[in-house]
Amino acid sequence: MAQQTSHDEIRVSERSRGGGPRQRDRADQIVDAAMKLFSEQGYGAVSLREIARESGVAVSTVAYHHVDKLSLLGEIYERCTRPMNARRLELLGEAQRIDEASARLTAILRAYLLPAFTSSDDTIHGGARFTRMRAVLSAEGDPEARRIIAEAFDATTRQFIDAICACLPGASREAVVWQCQFLLGALYYTLINPDRIDRLSDGRTSGADHETAIGMIVRSTHASLMALMPPPEEAVLQG
C-alpha cells in the first residue's frame, strides 16, 4: 500500500508540473485530436472515447489529463486564445495612439483581424482548424461551450468595441456591436472557406492571400462603421 501511495504522489506531482516529455506529448496529442474532431463534428457529437481513439491513447489517459470533455475544450481555448488576445491588445494599444479618428479606426480593425489570420498559419496555436472549430461551436449553440467561448473572447472584444466607439462620435454602441458581429462573421467565413474566393474569381485572386483579405474586410467594415455617425447637421443639433 505504501508503494501505491508513492506512485500516486509521483503522478500528482507530474500533473502539477505538466508531466515529463512523454506526458506532455500525450497531452498535446489529445488536444490536437479533440480540436480536429470538434472542428469536424461539433462538440456535442464527440465522446471522450472517440478522442482517445483519434489520439491513439486509452480513455483512461484522456481522463488522466482532463476530468471531462468540457475541461478539454477549456484547455483548447486557453492554449489558442491567450496568445491571440495578447497580440490583439498589443496592436490595439499602438492603434489608439493615432490621433485622426478614421485612420485610428482602420488601425483598430487591423489590430483585431491580423492576429486571427496569423494564427491561422500557426499549427501550434490552433491555426485554421481552431478557427473552424470556433465557427462550428458557435453555430452549434451548446450552452457550456458558449460559456467557454464568452470567457475566452468577451473581455478583449469589449475593449475593441470601446475603442471603435471612441472613433465614432454620435454613433450608438448598439449599432457598433452589430457591426462587430458582422466583422466576426466575415473573419470566420474568410478563414474557413478561402477556396470559394479562388473559384468565384476564376483564379484571379486567392482566399489564401491574407493581406488582401484583411484589407478587404477592413475597408468594408470601416465604411459600415463610419456610416453609423449622424450627419454633421444632426451632430450639431445633438450637441
Side-chain angles (χ1 to χ4, degrees), residues 128-178:
R129 179 172 288 168
F130 176 61
T131 302
R132 181 180 294 276
M133 189 193 78
R134 290 167 60 194
V136 170
L137 266 59
S138 294
E140 191 175 32
D142 180 277
E144 290 298 323
R146 282 190 169 180
R147 177 180 60 79
I148 287 178
I149 295 169
E151 289 175 353
F153 287 111
D154 278 9
T156 300
T157 301
R158 287 179 184 276
Q159 292 187 57
F160 272 86
I161 291 172
D162 290 343
I164 290 170
C165 286
C167 298
L168 305 171
S172 77
R173 185 181 180 87
E174 292 78 10
V176 170
V177 169
W178 273 109

Coordinates of all heavy atoms in Angstrom, one line a residue, residues 128-178:
A128 N -6.0 27.3 -38.7 CA -7.3 27.3 -39.3 C -8.3 26.3 -38.7 O -9.5 26.5 -38.7 CB -7.2 27.0 -40.8
R129 N -7.7 25.2 -38.2 CA -8.6 24.2 -37.5 C -9.3 24.8 -36.3 O -10.5 24.6 -36.1 CB -7.8 23.0 -37.1 CG -8.5 21.9 -36.4 CD -7.7 20.7 -36.2 NE -7.5 20.0 -37.5 CZ -6.6 19.0 -37.7 NH1 -5.9 18.6 -36.7 NH2 -6.5 18.4 -38.9
F130 N -8.6 25.6 -35.5 CA -9.2 26.3 -34.4 C -10.3 27.3 -34.8 O -11.4 27.3 -34.2 CB -8.2 27.0 -33.5 CG -8.7 27.8 -32.4 CD1 -9.4 27.1 -31.4 CD2 -8.6 29.1 -32.3 CE1 -10.0 27.8 -30.3 CE2 -9.1 29.9 -31.2 CZ -9.8 29.2 -30.2
T131 N -10.0 28.0 -35.9 CA -11.0 28.9 -36.4 C -12.2 28.2 -36.9 O -13.4 28.6 -36.6 CB -10.4 29.7 -37.6 OG1 -9.2 30.4 -37.1 CG2 -11.4 30.7 -38.1
R132 N -12.1 27.1 -37.6 CA -13.2 26.2 -38.0 C -14.0 25.7 -36.8 O -15.2 25.7 -36.8 CB -12.7 25.1 -38.9 CG -13.9 24.2 -39.4 CD -13.3 23.1 -40.2 NE -12.7 23.6 -41.5 CZ -13.4 23.9 -42.6 NH1 -14.7 23.7 -42.6 NH2 -12.8 24.3 -43.6
M133 N -13.2 25.3 -35.8 CA -13.9 24.8 -34.6 C -14.7 25.9 -33.9 O -15.9 25.7 -33.5 CB -12.9 24.3 -33.6 CG -13.5 23.5 -32.4 SD -12.3 23.2 -31.1 CE -12.2 24.9 -30.3
R134 N -14.2 27.1 -33.8 CA -14.9 28.2 -33.3 C -16.2 28.5 -34.0 O -17.3 28.7 -33.4 CB -14.1 29.5 -33.3 CG -12.9 29.5 -32.4 CD -11.9 30.7 -32.8 NE -12.5 32.0 -32.6 CZ -12.0 33.1 -33.1 NH1 -10.8 33.0 -33.8 NH2 -12.6 34.2 -33.0
A135 N -16.1 28.4 -35.3 CA -17.3 28.7 -36.1 C -18.4 27.6 -35.9 O -19.6 27.8 -35.7 CB -17.0 28.7 -37.6
V136 N -17.9 26.3 -35.9 CA -18.8 25.2 -35.7 C -19.5 25.2 -34.3 O -20.7 25.1 -34.2 CB -18.1 23.8 -35.9 CG1 -18.9 22.7 -35.5 CG2 -17.7 23.7 -37.3
L137 N -18.7 25.5 -33.3 CA -19.2 25.5 -31.9 C -20.2 26.7 -31.7 O -21.2 26.6 -31.0 CB -18.1 25.6 -30.9 CG -17.6 24.2 -30.3 CD1 -17.2 23.3 -31.4 CD2 -16.6 24.4 -29.3
S138 N -19.9 27.8 -32.4 CA -20.8 29.0 -32.2 C -22.1 28.7 -32.9 O -23.2 29.0 -32.3 CB -20.1 30.2 -32.9 OG -19.0 30.6 -32.3
A139 N -22.1 28.0 -34.0 CA -23.4 27.6 -34.6 C -24.1 26.5 -33.9 O -25.4 26.5 -33.9 CB -23.1 27.1 -36.1
E140 N -23.4 25.6 -33.2 CA -24.0 24.5 -32.5 C -24.8 25.0 -31.3 O -25.9 24.4 -31.0 CB -22.9 23.6 -32.1 CG -23.4 22.2 -31.5 CD -22.2 21.3 -31.2 OE1 -21.1 21.8 -30.8 OE2 -22.3 20.1 -31.4
G141 N -24.3 26.0 -30.6 CA -25.1 26.5 -29.5 C -25.1 25.8 -28.2 O -26.0 26.0 -27.4
D142 N -24.2 24.9 -28.0 CA -24.1 24.2 -26.7 C -23.9 25.3 -25.6 O -22.9 26.1 -25.7 CB -23.0 23.2 -26.7 CG -22.9 22.5 -25.4 OD1 -22.3 23.0 -24.4 OD2 -23.4 21.3 -25.3
P143 N -24.7 25.3 -24.5 CA -24.5 26.4 -23.5 C -23.2 26.4 -22.8 O -22.6 27.5 -22.5 CB -25.7 26.2 -22.6 CG -26.1 24.8 -22.8 CD -25.8 24.5 -24.2
E144 N -22.7 25.2 -22.5 CA -21.4 25.2 -21.8 C -20.2 25.6 -22.7 O -19.3 26.3 -22.3 CB -21.1 23.7 -21.3 CG -22.0 23.3 -20.1 CD -21.8 24.2 -18.9 OE1 -20.7 24.6 -18.6 OE2 -22.8 24.5 -18.2
A145 N -20.3 25.2 -24.0 CA -19.3 25.6 -25.0 C -19.4 27.1 -25.2 O -18.3 27.8 -25.3 CB -19.5 24.9 -26.3
R146 N -20.6 27.7 -25.2 CA -20.7 29.1 -25.4 C -20.1 29.9 -24.2 O -19.6 31.0 -24.4 CB -22.2 29.5 -25.6 CG -22.8 29.2 -27.0 CD -24.1 29.8 -27.2 NE -24.5 29.7 -28.6 CZ -25.7 30.1 -29.0 NH1 -26.5 30.7 -28.2 NH2 -25.9 30.1 -30.3
R147 N -20.3 29.3 -23.0 CA -19.7 30.0 -21.9 C -18.2 30.0 -22.0 O -17.6 31.1 -21.7 CB -20.1 29.2 -20.6 CG -19.5 29.8 -19.3 CD -19.9 29.0 -18.1 NE -19.4 27.6 -18.2 CZ -18.2 27.2 -17.9 NH1 -17.3 28.1 -17.6 NH2 -17.9 25.9 -18.0
I148 N -17.6 29.0 -22.4 CA -16.1 29.0 -22.6 C -15.7 30.0 -23.7 O -14.7 30.7 -23.5 CB -15.6 27.5 -22.9 CG1 -15.7 26.7 -21.7 CG2 -14.2 27.6 -23.5 CD1 -15.3 25.2 -21.9
I149 N -16.4 30.0 -24.8 CA -16.1 31.0 -25.8 C -16.2 32.4 -25.3 O -15.4 33.3 -25.6 CB -17.1 30.8 -27.0 CG1 -16.9 29.4 -27.7 CG2 -16.9 31.9 -28.1 CD1 -17.9 29.0 -28.7
A150 N -17.3 32.7 -24.5 CA -17.5 34.0 -24.0 C -16.4 34.4 -23.1 O -15.8 35.5 -23.1 CB -18.8 34.1 -23.3
E151 N -16.0 33.5 -22.2 CA -14.9 33.7 -21.2 C -13.6 34.0 -22.0 O -12.7 34.8 -21.5 CB -14.7 32.6 -20.3 CG -15.9 32.5 -19.3 CD -15.8 31.2 -18.4 OE1 -14.9 30.4 -18.7 OE2 -16.6 31.1 -17.5
A152 N -13.4 33.3 -23.1 CA -12.1 33.5 -23.9 C -12.0 34.8 -24.6 O -11.0 35.4 -24.7 CB -12.0 32.3 -24.9
F153 N -13.2 35.3 -25.1 CA -13.1 36.5 -26.0 C -13.8 37.7 -25.6 O -13.5 38.8 -26.0 CB -13.7 36.1 -27.4 CG -12.8 35.1 -28.2 CD1 -13.2 33.8 -28.4 CD2 -11.6 35.6 -28.7 CE1 -12.4 33.0 -29.1 CE2 -10.8 34.8 -29.4 CZ -11.2 33.4 -29.6
D154 N -14.8 37.6 -24.7 CA -15.7 38.8 -24.4 C -14.9 40.0 -23.9 O -15.2 41.2 -24.3 CB -16.8 38.4 -23.5 CG -18.0 37.8 -24.3 OD1 -17.8 37.5 -25.5 OD2 -19.1 37.5 -23.7
A155 N -14.0 39.8 -22.9 CA -13.3 40.9 -22.3 C -12.5 41.7 -23.3 O -12.5 42.9 -23.4 CB -12.4 40.4 -21.2
T156 N -11.8 40.9 -24.2 CA -11.0 41.6 -25.2 C -11.9 42.3 -26.2 O -11.6 43.4 -26.6 CB -10.1 40.6 -25.9 OG1 -9.2 40.0 -25.0 CG2 -9.3 41.2 -27.0
T157 N -13.0 41.6 -26.6 CA -13.9 42.2 -27.6 C -14.5 43.5 -27.1 O -14.6 44.5 -27.8 CB -15.0 41.2 -28.0 OG1 -14.4 40.1 -28.5 CG2 -16.0 41.8 -29.0
R158 N -14.8 43.6 -25.8 CA -15.4 44.8 -25.2 C -14.4 46.0 -25.3 O -14.8 47.1 -25.5 CB -15.8 44.6 -23.8 CG -17.0 43.7 -23.6 CD -17.4 43.5 -22.1 NE -18.5 42.6 -22.0 CZ -19.8 43.0 -22.1 NH1 -20.1 44.3 -22.3 NH2 -20.8 42.2 -21.9
Q159 N -13.1 45.7 -25.1 CA -12.1 46.7 -25.3 C -12.0 47.3 -26.7 O -11.9 48.5 -26.9 CB -10.7 46.2 -24.8 CG -10.6 45.9 -23.4 CD -9.2 45.5 -22.9 OE1 -8.3 46.3 -23.1 NE2 -9.1 44.4 -22.3
F160 N -12.2 46.4 -27.7 CA -12.2 46.8 -29.1 C -13.5 47.6 -29.4 O -13.4 48.6 -30.1 CB -12.1 45.6 -30.0 CG -10.7 45.2 -30.3 CD1 -10.0 44.4 -29.5 CD2 -10.1 45.7 -31.4 CE1 -8.7 44.0 -29.8 CE2 -8.8 45.4 -31.7 CZ -8.1 44.5 -30.9
I161 N -14.6 47.2 -28.8 CA -15.9 48.0 -29.0 C -15.7 49.4 -28.4 O -16.1 50.4 -29.1 CB -17.1 47.2 -28.4 CG1 -17.3 45.9 -29.3 CG2 -18.3 48.1 -28.4 CD1 -18.4 45.0 -28.6
D162 N -15.2 49.5 -27.3 CA -14.9 50.8 -26.6 C -14.0 51.7 -27.5 O -14.3 52.9 -27.7 CB -14.2 50.6 -25.3 CG -15.2 50.0 -24.2 OD1 -16.4 50.0 -24.4 OD2 -14.6 49.5 -23.2
A163 N -13.0 51.1 -28.1 CA -12.1 51.8 -28.9 C -12.7 52.3 -30.2 O -12.5 53.4 -30.7 CB -10.8 51.0 -29.2
I164 N -13.5 51.4 -30.8 CA -14.3 51.8 -32.0 C -15.3 52.9 -31.7 O -15.4 53.9 -32.5 CB -15.0 50.5 -32.6 CG1 -13.9 49.5 -33.1 CG2 -15.9 50.9 -33.7 CD1 -14.5 48.2 -33.5
C165 N -16.0 52.8 -30.6 CA -17.0 53.8 -30.3 C -16.3 55.2 -30.1 O -16.9 56.2 -30.5 CB -17.7 53.4 -29.0 SG -18.9 52.1 -29.3
A166 N -15.1 55.2 -29.6 CA -14.4 56.4 -29.4 C -14.0 57.1 -30.7 O -13.8 58.3 -30.8 CB -13.1 56.2 -28.6
C167 N -14.0 56.3 -31.8 CA -13.7 56.9 -33.1 C -14.9 57.4 -33.8 O -14.8 58.1 -34.9 CB -13.1 55.8 -34.0 SG -11.5 55.1 -33.5
L168 N -16.1 57.1 -33.3 CA -17.4 57.4 -34.0 C -18.3 58.2 -33.1 O -19.3 57.7 -32.6 CB -18.1 56.1 -34.3 CG -17.2 55.1 -35.2 CD1 -18.0 53.7 -35.3 CD2 -17.0 55.7 -36.6
P169 N -18.0 59.5 -32.9 CA -18.9 60.3 -32.1 C -20.3 60.4 -32.6 O -20.5 60.6 -33.8 CB -18.2 61.7 -32.1 CG -17.3 61.7 -33.3 CD -16.9 60.2 -33.4
G170 N -21.3 60.1 -31.7 CA -22.7 60.2 -32.1 C -23.2 58.8 -32.6 O -24.5 58.7 -32.6
A171 N -22.4 57.8 -32.8 CA -22.9 56.5 -33.2 C -23.3 55.8 -32.0 O -22.7 55.9 -30.9 CB -21.8 55.7 -33.9
S172 N -24.4 55.0 -32.1 CA -24.9 54.2 -30.9 C -24.0 53.0 -30.7 O -23.5 52.3 -31.7 CB -26.3 53.8 -31.1 OG -26.4 52.7 -32.0
R173 N -23.8 52.7 -29.5 CA -23.0 51.5 -29.1 C -23.6 50.2 -29.7 O -23.0 49.3 -30.1 CB -22.7 51.4 -27.6 CG -21.8 50.3 -27.2 CD -21.6 50.2 -25.7 NE -20.8 49.1 -25.3 CZ -19.5 49.2 -25.3 NH1 -18.8 50.3 -25.5 NH2 -18.7 48.1 -24.9
E174 N -25.0 50.2 -29.6 CA -25.7 49.0 -30.1 C -25.4 48.7 -31.5 O -25.2 47.6 -31.9 CB -27.2 49.2 -29.8 CG -27.6 49.2 -28.4 CD -27.3 50.5 -27.7 OE1 -27.0 51.5 -28.4 OE2 -27.5 50.6 -26.4
A175 N -25.4 49.8 -32.3 CA -25.1 49.6 -33.8 C -23.7 49.2 -34.0 O -23.4 48.3 -34.9 CB -25.4 50.9 -34.5
V176 N -22.8 49.7 -33.2 CA -21.4 49.2 -33.3 C -21.2 47.7 -33.0 O -20.5 47.0 -33.6 CB -20.5 50.1 -32.4 CG1 -19.0 49.5 -32.3 CG2 -20.4 51.5 -32.9
V177 N -22.0 47.3 -31.9 CA -22.0 45.9 -31.6 C -22.4 45.0 -32.7 O -21.8 44.0 -33.1 CB -22.8 45.6 -30.3 CG1 -23.0 44.1 -30.1 CG2 -22.2 46.2 -29.1
W178 N -23.5 45.4 -33.4 CA -24.0 44.7 -34.6 C -22.9 44.6 -35.7 O -22.6 43.5 -36.3 CB -25.2 45.4 -35.2 CG -26.5 44.9 -34.5 CD1 -27.3 45.7 -33.7 CD2 -27.1 43.7 -34.7 NE1 -28.4 45.0 -33.3 CE2 -28.3 43.7 -33.9 CE3 -26.8 42.5 -35.4 CZ2 -29.2 42.6 -33.8 CZ3 -27.7 41.4 -35.3 CH2 -28.9 41.5 -34.6

